[in-house]
Amino acid sequence: MDSRIFRSEYADVPLVDEPIHEAVLARSTATHPDAVALIDGTSPSGTGELTYGQLDVRYRMLAAALSAAGVRKGDVLALHSPNSVLYPVVLYAASRAGAAVTTVHPLCTAEEFARQLADSSARWIVTVSALLPVARRAAELVGGIEEILVCDRAEGHRSVVHDLLTVDAPERHVPIDPAEDVAVLPYSSGTTGVPKGVMLTHRSIATNLAQLHPLVPMVPGERILAVLPFFHIYGMTALLNAPLRCGATVVVLPRFDLDQFLGTIERHRITGLYVAPPIVLALAKHPAVARYDLSSLEYVVSAAAPLDARLAAACSARLGLPPVRQAYGMTELSPGTHTVPLSAPNPPPGAVGKLLPSTEMRILRLDDPARDAGPGEEGEVAIRGPQVMKGYLGRPDATAALIDADGWVHTGDVGRVDDDGWLYVVDRVKELIKYKGFQVAPADLEALLLTHPAVADAAVIGVYDADGNEVPKAYVVRQPLAPDLSADEVMAYVAERVAPYKKVRRVEFVESVPRAASGKILRRELRRREKDQT
């Protein structure tokens, strides 16, 4: 059977062979240097702002200071910080200095941070004083760190603002090959397994921005609220790179607090929201929404996890907006492959979008991935295009398992395409749990649970709570000599050892974990059991 390849209805875009800092900032800085690029949403009105001209000067100065400090092409710098107006300054400065940036979850534990440092071979850390104890401990565990810098102030550490940005260092031209050089190294579990370094080149990220623009164009004067984390590729793309590339203004919040979020929309007259489903839920149902003037909003886009069509409709109806748009992709795809165009008047409910320019897709049969599903049938979504990652760092086998010989990325998501080319993602073949958009690998939690002396065996799957969030649930087999082990003890044990978003939130004790002859956990049986109980 011949491959049934879906192609975008939009014209192809040329490859963008520019370093990411130039692809994002060069045109905006040249055309409107006095426009406001970034606003600290936690600061009083009129403070905590950077214009495009100031952003340009600061990131260039910091790049020179980093080079003077010893950062060289090919180095990896770990950026460990909540959202702030300094985050893009550090990101683009490291890029200009020739380093790849591995972005780190600000709530990770020292052990998790150390594993990422070791795997990425990072030599530099930029953090904030509040997170310094975790960063120091991680550096001690792994060794080989040249320096830990802070964005604010901390005794014994140089400050990005107060020390490096005052260094009178000459600018160095660092040659960058956009097609080969890694710009960003986020960590993703892919379709299964432990987190892996995703090598995203300057070309793949910059080209993906050009691919997104025809469907979700941003313009100067638009005001985007950045509350999703910048360390996540969705936040980095939708809330930093895309708006700054187009001359928009980004209002930055370090974390999600509903009243602060709503108040910021009102105070700064936000026009566009890029959010995840839990925020859509709050906008649709929380009584606090009625206390704020959200009339400046023009559209809402949701991604990072599946969004229920009824919830999307309730949100748009309450806010008096066009239908909530969805978007689809994965870290390994820089990240976008589909989005619902802002110009679409009545997109079909539940659709995650149309193919981006220069992107191809196949829907592979679930029972025979070598063959394509028939028209309208469900199957695994496979993607090919210039936004595909270079590979997983140091893991050629994992790369080959995800990307086949013909360049198709097997996403692990089950979808179908209607006659008009809209994609609907209906399930996942992959085991990954997405808790509020953050990736949680069951294998990580299972390995941790098995270190508890009273646990004989364990399996973890994702289940849905009352708010529609997917949460980790553990099926635990007690040791024979530990019949009194409680669910609270199990959850506390995990919570002490992982970042908050990875916590096990439900526990069920079982006689045995269903496994295949090979020893592989049969998660489908657990999901079937869960369905029977609800």
Side-chain angles (χ1 to χ4, degrees), residues 207-290:
T207 302
N208 196 230
L209 294 172
Q211 292 173 291
L212 286 161
H213 186 73
L215 286 81
V216 281
M218 295 187 191
V219 296
E222 191 164 352
R223 298 172 82 83
I224 304 298
L225 181 54
V227 70
L228 297 181
F230 292 152
F231 82 86
H232 192 288
I233 192 63
Y234 173 29
M236 183 185 296
T237 297
L239 304 178
L240 274 187
N241 291 340
L244 295 179
R245 176 181 179 269
C246 300
T249 297
V250 179
V251 181
V252 182
L253 291 177
R255 61 186 178 85
F256 180 72
D257 172 87
L258 182 59
D259 280 300
Q260 183 184 57
F261 173 78
L262 297 170
T264 304
I265 295 173
E266 178 180 274
R267 181 156 62 99
H268 290 282
R269 307 302 293 161
I270 299 299
T271 57
L273 291 179
Y274 291 80
V275 296
I279 297 179
V280 178
L281 175 67
L283 290 170
K285 297 185 177 181
H286 201 285
V289 173

Side-chain angles (χ1 to χ4, degrees), residues 364-405:
L364 307 176
R365 286 179 53 159
L366 296 176
D367 59 347
D368 183 3
R371 301 173 64 195
D372 291 82
E377 291 182 353
E378 295 179 357
E380 183 179 7
V381 178
I383 297 291
R384 186 166 66 182
Q387 65 268 59
V388 174
M389 69 172 180
K390 185 176 181 178
Y392 290 123
L393 178 67
R395 289 179 167 84
D397 291 345
T399 302
L402 186 78
I403 308 173
D404 67 26

Side-chain angles (χ1 to χ4, degrees), residues 150-210:
V150 293
C151 290
D152 43 358
R153 287 185 187 272
E155 185 176 351
H157 295 269
R158 287 199 292 171
S159 164
V160 167
V161 173
H162 303 288
D163 296 313
L164 270 69
L165 283 176
T166 62
V167 171
D168 185 17
E171 284 197 42
R172 292 180 65 245
H173 173 68
V174 179
I176 290 174
D177 181 350
E180 291 297 326
D181 291 345
V182 175
V184 182
L185 190 66
Y187 270 67
S188 168
S189 299
T191 57
T192 185
V194 299
K196 299 172 281 292
V198 178
M199 295 187 289
L200 300 180
T201 65
H202 293 266
R203 173 194 278 181
S204 70
I205 297 174
T207 302
N208 196 230
L209 294 172

Side-chain angles (χ1 to χ4, degrees), residues 311-350:
L311 176 59
C315 177
S316 59
R318 187 180 194 191
L319 298 180
L321 292 176
V324 174
R325 269 57 179 154
Q326 288 202 66
Y328 172 75
M330 60 191 296
T331 306
E332 290 82 352
L333 293 165
S334 299
T337 70
H338 292 72
T339 190
V340 177
L342 294 183
S343 60
N346 291 297

Side-chain angles (χ1 to χ4, degrees), residues 347-366:
V352 300
K354 294 281 188 85
L355 271 170
L356 300 187
S358 306
T359 307
E360 299 176 310
M361 175 177 62
R362 292 170 63 194
I363 303 295
L364 307 176
R365 286 179 53 159
L366 296 176

